Amino acid sequence: LNNFGPTTPFTQSQMSIERFEEGWGSHAEFLLSCIGYCVGLGNVWRFPYLAYQSGGGAFLIPYLIMLVFCGIPLFLIELGFGQFSGFGTVTSWRASPMFKGIGFGMMLVSFFVIIYYNVIIAYAFFYLFASFTSVLPWTLCNQWWNKAAQCGVSCDTESIRIRSLCGTEKHCYEKNLALFRHQSSGIDDPGPVLWDLCLCLLLSWIVVFVCLMKGVKSGYQHYTETPHHPTLPQVVYFTATFPYLILFILLIRGVTLEGAGEGIRFYVTPQWERLKDSKVWSKAATQIFYSLGISFGGLLTFASYNKFSQNIYRDTLIVALGNCGTSIFAGFVIFSVIGHMAFKLQLPIDKVADQGPGLAFVAYPEAVSLLPAPQLWSILFFFMLITLGLDSQFAMTETVITGLTDEFPKYLMHNKFKFTAFICSICFLLGLLLVTEGGFFWFNLYDWYSAYYGLYFLTIFLCHFFTYPWRFNKDMKLMLGREPNWYYRINWMLFSPGLLVFITLFSIINYSPITLNKQAYPKWADNLGICMSITVAAVVPLYMVYRAI
């Protein structure tokens, strides 16, 4: 890695030169950018539904284990490599060209994720617009989208006994949501595109394009902060703290509701038998990678703007622990509301709602509807979701665009505007399948497989590269004046790759098709998802063969 010193003459591309020269205006800007990138929809949307699927407290145990033995050590690897090299996701691998496939793999993970990640932002836009009404739509029953309940009883039936037997009000909760409208019979029956969700998806990609069309300085940093505009960092302080204010208000309201205690008890009490399920461990591992952004390339890109001697040991602990603390905090918000819903329906906690990605779009809207002036809080909440999502979406999209632009500057550097439009257009077209009547089946497939087996293998390659030989420790000492301590070294060498290999083998041995609402996916769909995931890791050996030839 010593090809990259602080005084190395950079000749790769104009973008790399600008990255090194301009950098961040202050340490706070880098830290808040990392927090904005890591603290996103994965914390307030994905973590709660995975915890609900996995038995509440049973999910927290593997989640915290993965944080200690994989999350924090691997977070430091990406920041260290990015800061030392001063280049982006792909170009930084000039240090070892045979392993450049890892950079392409990171870029490919980001590409798969941004396709469906922007669909979540589109859902948030949909609910934001629906909040500008005199009565929040999801508080009403017998509407055109939820007119008939499953057992022929209207949603406003007062009989607790009937609700308990057929789940009528539960059905009403879910049929109020855009995610469940006109749901088809399965993934092989997508149906027509839902025009309102399609327009929201188009709006989401237009926002991303407008913010990124002139590059990173006028894109992500313009949205959050930029060294040359001292008034803009104030925006970051708002976007970084605003979500916590909204979640805190929802938590205060949630814990005062009847039945909230039962929901929280479900959340913090482990169901020990669930720890035998390989999917619980796989979900915990994937969530750590997803929420911290490990092996997605964004952290490496951010750190490449740092000063050569910036203390990333401290930054790693602040961002990683703060990120996971946010996830756990959001879980208390969700489960307090789920406990209240269970109390109203007279149902067990795990029977209140379908255990899928749409859970957060059941519980959060229900929570804001119980606040005074619910329309105002609904607007603020879904605006918060949009800002959280866009922070991460900007970073992942820029990772793809900058990675390819840095690698092929001759063709793309002077056509950045057109290339950004091309990437956004392709992702929008690919995302149309996810906003059809059966689109949520495809959404769930992307959510499960876009960052799964392939991401594990990619990270194992990453650990191998940085721990053998021990050159990386010396590079860290050159930057920061001391080598990483025993905690990082033993995890890089043993626990991180060992735990990932164990979870991968455990998942393969106990393999079963993914499900949505207890409906198993057909074999061809499951195989398609596995191929998508394996493609991420396959580029590493394929690129090695290409270099060898």
Side-chain angles (χ1 to χ4, degrees), residues 273-302:
E273 66 277 6
R274 297 298 300 272
L275 294 178
K276 300 177 183 178
D277 186 354
S278 63
K279 284 193 173 182
V280 173
W281 289 86
S282 296
K283 290 171 184 175
T286 304
Q287 178 59 20
I288 284 292
F289 286 100
Y290 194 102
S291 62
L292 290 179
I294 297 169
S295 294
F296 282 71
L299 295 173
L300 195 154
T301 302
F302 280 177

Side-chain angles (χ1 to χ4, degrees), residues 404-448:
L404 291 173
T405 303
D406 277 359
E407 189 64 15
F408 306 104
K410 180 179 178 181
Y411 305 102
L412 301 178
M413 178 59 65
H414 300 294
N415 296 293
K416 185 70 179 287
F417 180 91
K418 294 179 181 178
F419 184 59
T420 302
F422 174 75
I423 292 294
C424 292
S425 299
I426 290 295
C427 291
F428 166 71
L429 294 175
L430 291 174
L432 288 178
L433 185 60
L434 280 63
V435 292
T436 59
E437 289 186 354
F440 208 65
F441 285 96
W442 286 97
F443 179 93
N444 190 51
L445 186 76
Y446 267 91
D447 181 48
W448 180 248

Side-chain angles (χ1 to χ4, degrees), residues 117-143:
Y117 199 86
N118 229 19
V119 175
I120 311 170
I121 299 174
Y123 288 143
F125 270 119
F126 181 90
Y127 283 94
L128 176 66
F129 297 145
S131 301
F132 288 93
T133 55
S134 58
V135 180
L136 294 177
W138 51 86
T139 63
L140 300 173
C141 290
N142 291 321
Q143 302 300 304

Side-chain angles (χ1 to χ4, degrees), residues 1 84 469-484:
L1 298 180
F84 192 85
W470 287 94
R471 178 65 219 175
F472 185 62
N473 291 332
K474 297 178 181 178
D475 294 330
M476 292 289 284
K477 183 177 181 180
L478 178 63
M479 284 195 301
L480 307 176
R482 58 189 173 94
E483 293 187 1

Side-chain angles (χ1 to χ4, degrees), residues 60-61 84 93 96 118 131 170 188 203 207 220 298 329 409 473 508 512:
L60 295 180
I61 295 173
F84 192 85
W93 292 94
S96 182
N118 229 19
S131 301
K170 167 179 172 287
D188 50 1
L203 175 61
V207 172
Y220 178 78
F329 179 64
N473 291 332
I508 293 173
S512 61

Side-chain angles (χ1 to χ4, degrees), residues 141 151 228 459:
C141 290
C151 55
H228 305 295
T459 308

Side-chain angles (χ1 to χ4, degrees), residues 65-342:
I65 289 174
M66 291 301 302
L67 170 65
V68 172
F69 293 106
C70 286
I72 295 175
L74 296 176
F75 197 93
L76 181 62
I77 277 186
E78 278 210 51
L79 291 187
F81 187 43
Q83 182 167 304
F84 192 85
S85 69
F87 287 98
T89 306
V90 178
T91 311
S92 58
W93 292 94
R94 290 192 313 165
S96 182
M98 286 292 287
F99 283 87
K100 186 180 281 190
I102 296 177
F104 283 112
M106 289 178 171
M107 193 171 57
L108 196 56
V109 170
S110 292
F111 177 75
F112 285 146
V113 171
I114 62 176
I115 292 172
Y116 87 92
Y117 199 86
N118 229 19
V119 175
I120 311 170
I121 299 174
Y123 288 143
F125 270 119
F126 181 90
Y127 283 94
L128 176 66
F129 297 145
S131 301
F132 288 93
T133 55
S134 58
V135 180
L136 294 177
W138 51 86
T139 63
L140 300 173
C141 290
N142 291 321
Q143 302 300 304
W144 64 269
W145 61 85
N146 64 5
K147 199 163 190 177
Q150 288 174 320
C151 55
V153 185
S154 66
C155 288
D156 56 1
T157 300
E158 294 299 324
S159 171
I160 294 295
R161 184 184 64 82
I162 294 177
R163 291 184 200 159
S164 301
L165 291 174
C166 68
T168 301
E169 190 166 332
K170 167 179 172 287
H171 188 69
C172 180
Y173 274 130
E174 295 176 349
K175 290 299 179 183
N176 274 320
L177 305 177
L179 283 65
F180 293 92
R181 291 179 305 131
H182 308 300
Q183 193 178 77
S184 68
S185 59
I187 194 170
D188 50 1
D189 178 30
V193 172
L194 300 173
W195 68 267
D196 43 5
L197 290 182
C198 177
L199 291 177
C200 290
L201 180 62
L202 178 62
L203 175 61
S204 301
W205 277 113
I206 289 175
V207 172
V208 173
F209 169 70
V210 169
C211 291
L212 295 182
M213 62 184 180
K214 293 183 180 179
V216 66
K217 279 298 180 183
S218 61
Y220 178 78
Q221 290 183 353
H222 178 77
Y223 176 75
T224 54
E225 67 278 320
T226 179
H228 305 295
H229 295 80
T231 59
L232 287 178
Q234 298 175 11
V235 177
V236 187
Y237 298 124
F238 170 75
T239 59
T241 57
F242 179 62
Y244 294 98
L245 174 63
I246 297 296
L247 289 175
F248 180 73
I249 292 171
L250 293 179
L251 177 64
I252 295 300
R253 180 59 179 132
V255 297
T256 61
L257 298 171
E258 290 182 293
E262 289 300 314
I264 293 174
R265 191 172 296 111
F266 176 87
Y267 177 47
V268 299
T269 304
Q271 300 176 24
W272 298 104
E273 66 277 6
R274 297 298 300 272
L275 294 178
K276 300 177 183 178
D277 186 354
S278 63
K279 284 193 173 182
V280 173
W281 289 86
S282 296
K283 290 171 184 175
T286 304
Q287 178 59 20
I288 284 292
F289 286 100
Y290 194 102
S291 62
L292 290 179
I294 297 169
S295 294
F296 282 71
L299 295 173
L300 195 154
T301 302
F302 280 177
S304 68
Y305 287 93
N306 277 347
K307 296 177 180 178
F308 190 71
S309 59
Q310 182 158 305
N311 185 0
I312 51 176
Y313 293 124
R314 175 189 56 202
D315 297 341
T316 295
L317 293 176
I318 292 174
V319 177
L321 296 178
N323 174 275
C324 294
T326 302
S327 295
I328 294 172
F329 179 64
F332 280 101
V333 178
I334 283 279
F335 281 92
S336 64
V337 178
I338 292 176
H340 175 63
M341 293 166 63

